[in-house]
Amino acid sequence: MGFLDFDTDGLEKVQPVSNRGGVPAGVYEVIIKSVQERATKSGSENTNFDFVIRNDIQQPRQNAHIFIPFWHSKLEEKETQQKTGLYISELKAGKTTFSLSDSDLKEVKKEFNLASALNNAHLNTDGKALREFNTKEEAMNSLIGKPLRIKVSARDNEYNGETTIQNSLFPNNITKTSAPQVNHTWEAGKEPVVPSPFAGGTEVDISDDDLPF
């Protein structure tokens, strides 16, 4: 179940570096280079974003990549739709406590918060909400090349004796870019490309012990 299926209408709304290892915690102006559906071998699904730090703005870590997976709800699709609808109706009614259990609310928010943040960041120049595209692939493709502003966290991650930075990003730290005119220069052959159809997702070798939930 992906983040694109929910109606969030009516809610308020410098130097080149290696691509490996993440970036220090901070606020960055970025461009979305790719968006892909992926899954672990055990079946946990995520939408993986490749954010590139813009080089047309004076900021640290220009051209670095920030890879962020947003994990999908573990509820069944129909159940997720129904419980998200209840959550949205209670939000619109101004409620601050909800009918859903804490565990269901956590799962619903995985999907809802990301869709809401991306829509509120006004990424689509044609004004479409993500759910208005004909297919999920079209909606995902519409995000490619769009600028936004993100505030990422960082922690040390040790793997095979090597320590690198691992970044994370909460949806409420995705906001509108402060520089909508984009003059970012891509290296030859590294420009954003429309992803291939993702039916079934791409399997990634991650154990359940490594998941953030």
Side-chain angles (χ1 to χ4, degrees), residues 136-148:
K136 187 174 181 180
E137 183 181 3
E138 288 179 10
M140 294 177 77
N141 290 348
S142 77
L143 301 175
I144 305 301
K146 297 298 192 298
L148 44 70

Side-chain angles (χ1 to χ4, degrees), residues 29 54 56-57 147 149 176-183:
E29 290 283 353
R54 292 169 59 177
D56 57 339
I57 294 172
R149 186 178 178 90
K176 245 188 234 188
T177 179
S178 62
Q181 181 63 45
V182 177
N183 296 304

Side-chain angles (χ1 to χ4, degrees), residues 181-193:
Q181 181 63 45
V182 177
N183 296 304
H184 179 88
T185 302
W186 296 94
E187 295 180 52
K190 296 187 178 180
E191 302 88 349
V193 295

Side-chain angles (χ1 to χ4, degrees), residues 106-191:
K106 178 181 177 181
E107 294 304 314
V108 162
K109 284 184 174 181
K110 287 180 187 176
E111 309 287 352
F112 173 81
N113 288 349
L114 179 59
S116 182
L118 290 169
N119 282 323
N120 290 340
H122 300 296
L123 294 181
N124 296 301
T125 54
D126 57 7
K128 282 187 178 181
L130 295 176
R131 64 182 175 79
E132 295 179 66
F133 287 87
N134 293 325
T135 67
K136 187 174 181 180
E137 183 181 3
E138 288 179 10
M140 294 177 77
N141 290 348
S142 77
L143 301 175
I144 305 301
K146 297 298 192 298
L148 44 70
R149 186 178 178 90
I150 61 176
K151 181 181 180 181
V152 298
S153 302
R155 68 178 178 85
D156 288 341
N157 182 54
E158 187 171 341
Y159 184 73
N160 286 342
E162 182 180 4
T163 300
T164 59
I165 295 174
Q166 181 171 321
N167 293 119
S168 58
L169 172 63
F170 291 107
N172 61 354
N173 287 325
I174 297 173
T175 55
K176 245 188 234 188
T177 179
S178 62
Q181 181 63 45
V182 177
N183 296 304
H184 179 88
T185 302
W186 296 94
E187 295 180 52
K190 296 187 178 180
E191 302 88 349

Side-chain angles (χ1 to χ4, degrees), residues 4-176:
L4 302 174
D5 305 300
F6 304 122
D7 181 356
T8 59
D9 289 350
L11 300 179
E12 284 189 35
K13 317 244 176 201
V14 180
Q15 60 199 39
V17 296
S18 167
N19 290 344
R20 297 185 64 225
V23 299
V27 177
Y28 299 95
E29 290 283 353
V30 299
I31 298 174
I32 298 175
K33 183 175 182 182
S34 68
V35 189
Q36 295 180 319
E37 292 291 284
R38 305 194 335 184
T40 67
K41 288 183 176 179
S42 63
S44 296
E45 298 177 341
N46 69 72
T47 301
N48 190 71
F49 282 74
D50 178 2
F51 300 108
V52 174
I53 299 177
R54 292 169 59 177
N55 59 27
D56 57 339
I57 294 172
Q58 288 300 314
Q59 58 181 333
R61 312 292 289 197
Q62 291 178 346
N63 301 316
H65 292 244
I66 306 173
F67 298 99
I68 302 288
F70 291 96
W71 296 94
H72 295 179
S73 170
K74 290 186 283 188
L75 302 173
E76 293 295 329
E77 180 174 349
K78 185 175 181 180
E79 187 179 9
T80 302
Q81 291 277 14
Q82 291 172 340
K83 291 182 176 180
T84 301
L86 175 60
Y87 175 58
I88 290 174
S89 67
E90 292 182 343
L91 275 179
K92 290 181 177 180
K95 293 187 178 182
T96 55
T97 57
F98 303 96
S99 303
L100 298 176
S101 67
D102 288 345
S103 60
D104 283 350
L105 189 60
K106 178 181 177 181
E107 294 304 314
V108 162
K109 284 184 174 181
K110 287 180 187 176
E111 309 287 352
F112 173 81
N113 288 349
L114 179 59
S116 182
L118 290 169
N119 282 323
N120 290 340
H122 300 296
L123 294 181
N124 296 301
T125 54
D126 57 7
K128 282 187 178 181
L130 295 176
R131 64 182 175 79
E132 295 179 66
F133 287 87
N134 293 325
T135 67
K136 187 174 181 180
E137 183 181 3
E138 288 179 10
M140 294 177 77
N141 290 348
S142 77
L143 301 175
I144 305 301
K146 297 298 192 298
L148 44 70
R149 186 178 178 90
I150 61 176
K151 181 181 180 181
V152 298
S153 302
R155 68 178 178 85
D156 288 341
N157 182 54
E158 187 171 341
Y159 184 73
N160 286 342
E162 182 180 4
T163 300
T164 59
I165 295 174
Q166 181 171 321
N167 293 119
S168 58
L169 172 63
F170 291 107
N172 61 354
N173 287 325
I174 297 173
T175 55
K176 245 188 234 188

